[in-house]
Amino acid sequence: MTSPARTPRGKLITLEGGEGAGKSTLLAGLRQHLVEQGVDLVLTREPGGTPLGEAVRAIVLDPALRGMSAETELLLMFASRAQLVRECIEPALAAGRWVLCDRFTDASYAYQGGGRGMPVERIATLEQWAADGLTPDLTLLLDLPVATGRARAAGRGEADRIEAEADGFFERVRAAYRARAAAEPGRFRVIDASQTPAEVLAAAIEATRHLFGAIA
Ligand code: Z5A
């Protein structure tokens, strides 16, 4: 007797980068490409992506909550992530859908680890416990000098609580992202985000090619 065919697990692709790196711009083009390839795609973001996560997002970005401790910030990021993994990402992957997520756990290592100086071991413990150790199949890191990213992001109105940080914070975030990419070259693709949007999209599409064996 043959057992029923199992649905192949979907793929998790995450987008990372500093402020103004162009993640939102890339997301639109990459989404269109993946859907044209026949991918059943779920788009989501962090912090956010669920009703609870979006409520957490409003708290962590609220410029009025200037006194938030680094510990509180880290736990809120993982509270949003714990909900997103269980409510959205895991069920989608199990059903064979692909998930394109604007930021994921690497952002906690970069912002709360690199930026705020929280110990990496503490973040790793939370990653295993709250995010079930879920690791993306592919992470696209849009890398850009801090000044260029901040210039692009300027003029969007009042800075949120994290955007209000000084340049040094964002330099540490960038360094932490680059160190993670160097440590895991099989998962990360670093894309030069100072290229035109079309060039960035082409590089991202190229980086996703190896994922398609599973649904071809
Ligand atoms: N955060 C955290 O601390 N810890 C965590 O664990 C997580 C998140 C998950 C919200 O994230 C904040 O949460 C974020 C990190 C923190 N704080 N900061 N800063 P977010 O991803 O929602 O917010 P963001 O980083 O502020 O995103 P962004 O600034 O909107 O960046 P973007 O999406 O990468 O940029 P964009 O909107 O696509 O582009 C910005 C501008 O540049 C826009 O005018 C574009 O037209 C232009 N652009 C885009 N691409 C190009 C190119 N290639 N050339 C020229 N101009 C371009």
Side-chain angles (χ1 to χ4, degrees):
M1 204 169 82
T2 54
S3 52
R6 284 222 335 250
T7 308
R9 187 173 162 85
K11 305 285 183 191
L12 172 59
I13 304 173
T14 57
L15 300 188
E16 300 283 357
E19 194 191 358
K23 292 179 292 88
S24 310
T25 305
L26 173 62
L27 201 78
L30 191 55
R31 170 197 204 167
Q32 188 184 339
H33 168 77
L34 292 172
V35 168
E36 283 169 4
Q37 299 307 303
V39 171
D40 183 2
L41 190 67
V42 174
L43 276 191
T44 189
R45 71 170 179 180
E46 282 205 338
T50 64
L52 185 146
E54 292 297 326
V56 170
R57 182 184 179 92
I59 293 170
V60 293
L61 299 183
D62 186 346
L65 299 178
R66 233 168 270 114
M68 187 182 296
S69 76
E71 289 78 5
T72 304
E73 185 180 88
L74 177 65
L75 290 168
L76 286 171
M77 295 299 176
F78 272 97
S80 171
R81 183 163 302 129
Q83 191 66 27
L84 185 70
V85 166
R86 287 160 183 79
E87 186 176 327
C88 168
I89 299 181
E90 267 302 342
L93 296 177
R97 307 181 78 191
W98 289 28
V99 178
L100 181 53
C101 191
D102 188 346
R103 297 197 189 279
F104 196 57
T105 309
D106 293 300
S108 295
Y109 283 99
Y111 282 81
Q112 284 67 53
R116 304 266 188 239
M118 298 296 293
V120 167
E121 305 73 42
R122 206 164 285 175
I123 302 173
T125 300
L126 285 169
E127 180 178 16
Q128 289 309 316
W129 174 64
D132 286 347
L134 181 63
T135 306
D137 296 281
L138 172 67
T139 298
L140 302 172
L141 173 58
L142 301 191
D143 183 52
L144 190 69
V146 169
T148 312
R150 301 207 89 179
R152 283 184 189 173
R156 285 196 297 201
E158 189 191 4
D160 66 39
R161 193 182 57 81
I162 296 177
E163 286 168 348
E165 290 293 334
D167 285 354
F169 173 86
F170 292 101
E171 294 290 359
R172 294 194 297 279
V173 168
R174 185 184 186 202
Y177 266 136
R178 287 160 66 105
R180 286 188 68 71
E184 284 189 71
R187 170 165 73 89
F188 274 89
R189 292 291 185 280
V190 181
I191 297 176
D192 174 1
S194 65
Q195 302 177 96
T196 66
E199 289 169 330
V200 171
L201 176 60
I205 288 173
E206 179 60 32
T208 62
R209 277 164 59 99
H210 71 285
L211 298 177
F212 280 94
I215 62 162

